[in-house]
Amino acid sequence: MTQQEQSPKLEGAQLKGVERWQKVARRIRVPLGFLTAALYLFELWRREPRPAAIAWSLLLVLPGLWLRAYASGYVKKNRELTQTGPYAYTRNPLYLGSILIAAGFAVALLSWPVAAMLTAMFLIIYVPVIASEERFLRSTFPDFPDYCRRVPRLLPRLIPAPSAATLTEVSSGKFSADLYLRHREYNSFIGAALLYLSLFFLRPLLGLFLNVPH
């Protein structure tokens, strides 16, 4: 069998492997989320958060929230290959923002178990989701391969990549508040605010029902 004949078979086997991985990720995503929440509560019960750590966490959480909000004002899901705004720096600014937020709350708790769990969630859930989305974009938008060559998947460029696409009103460098509201990205700010409130007030509430270590 020649190398050219083997290549399609290898690609097909890899594709099936990714699809199986995605099915597993979809099945365990919710249980893994509950497990992470339980670990967060346990770590919060086990040790009192330090104000200095909470303050340092803002250096990750606030940029993450800003990046998600900024990206949501550009992206037109499934209708347009967005290549401007934050998408000129990284192909996945929304996921990068989520990673920054998650890392920030791990710092706020000073918890290696929470950090390890969040890393596992990224590898198990986000990696196959990104792979699936890229397959869809590659099959839907002819200029996606060229976009991939110019813009990295996750870690951002230092300078924006020039766009080869025909710019629309939304993707011409203008942030759209309508898209931001349509994507309900304000929920990220609400969720982050609730998590910070929990760092300050949830432990005293747990102390009313449980013996909280000092």
Side-chain angles (χ1 to χ4, degrees):
M1 182 179 295
T2 66
Q3 187 174 1
Q4 290 180 342
E5 292 172 332
Q6 290 177 344
S7 181
K9 291 186 176 181
L10 288 174
E11 291 177 358
Q14 291 174 351
L15 181 60
K16 289 182 179 179
V18 171
E19 289 176 347
R20 286 196 294 268
W21 189 6
Q22 290 168 351
K23 289 180 181 179
V24 172
R26 283 195 293 268
R27 290 175 181 175
I28 68 174
R29 179 170 54 189
V30 174
L32 199 58
F34 281 116
L35 182 60
T36 302
L39 179 60
Y40 173 84
L41 291 174
F42 174 75
E43 288 293 286
L44 190 59
W45 167 81
R46 193 166 67 91
R47 63 161 67 88
E48 186 174 359
R50 299 180 183 178
I54 294 175
W56 279 109
S57 74
L58 292 171
L59 295 179
L60 292 169
V61 173
L62 292 180
L65 291 171
W66 172 84
L67 182 56
R68 285 195 57 90
Y70 185 41
S72 70
Y74 283 85
V75 63
K76 298 176 72 174
K77 295 179 180 179
N78 303 333
R79 291 184 293 161
E80 180 183 291
L81 180 61
T82 308
Q83 302 183 44
T84 55
Y87 290 88
Y89 295 87
T90 171
R91 302 202 304 266
N92 292 283
L94 289 168
Y95 293 132
L96 180 57
S98 295
I99 291 171
L100 290 174
I101 295 168
F105 280 106
V107 169
L109 275 176
L110 292 177
S111 170
W112 284 109
V114 169
M117 177 63 73
L118 292 173
T119 301
M121 285 190 66
F122 171 76
L123 294 175
I124 294 172
I125 295 174
Y126 281 109
V127 169
V129 166
I130 290 174
S132 176
E133 290 179 352
E134 288 194 347
R135 281 210 316 275
F136 168 79
L137 293 171
R138 194 177 300 275
S139 64
T140 304
F141 302 105
D143 52 342
F144 182 71
D146 177 66
Y147 175 58
C148 290
R149 285 189 289 270
R150 292 181 290 107
V151 179
R153 176 177 287 119
L154 195 62
L155 295 179
R157 293 166 50 106
L158 295 178
I159 58 174
S163 176
T166 301
L167 299 180
T168 64
E169 182 181 353
V170 172
S171 63
S172 62
K174 297 179 181 179
F175 175 85
S176 170
D178 181 63
L179 283 176
Y180 169 81
L181 294 173
R182 192 183 308 169
H183 294 142
R184 299 180 180 179
E185 192 53 43
Y186 49 80
N187 287 328
S188 296
F189 284 90
I190 296 173
L194 291 175
L195 280 172
Y196 273 114
L197 287 174
S198 72
L199 289 172
F200 288 104
F201 301 112
L202 185 57
R203 198 169 191 270
L205 288 176
L206 289 174
L208 297 176
F209 306 97
L210 303 170
N211 290 324
V212 177
H214 297 285

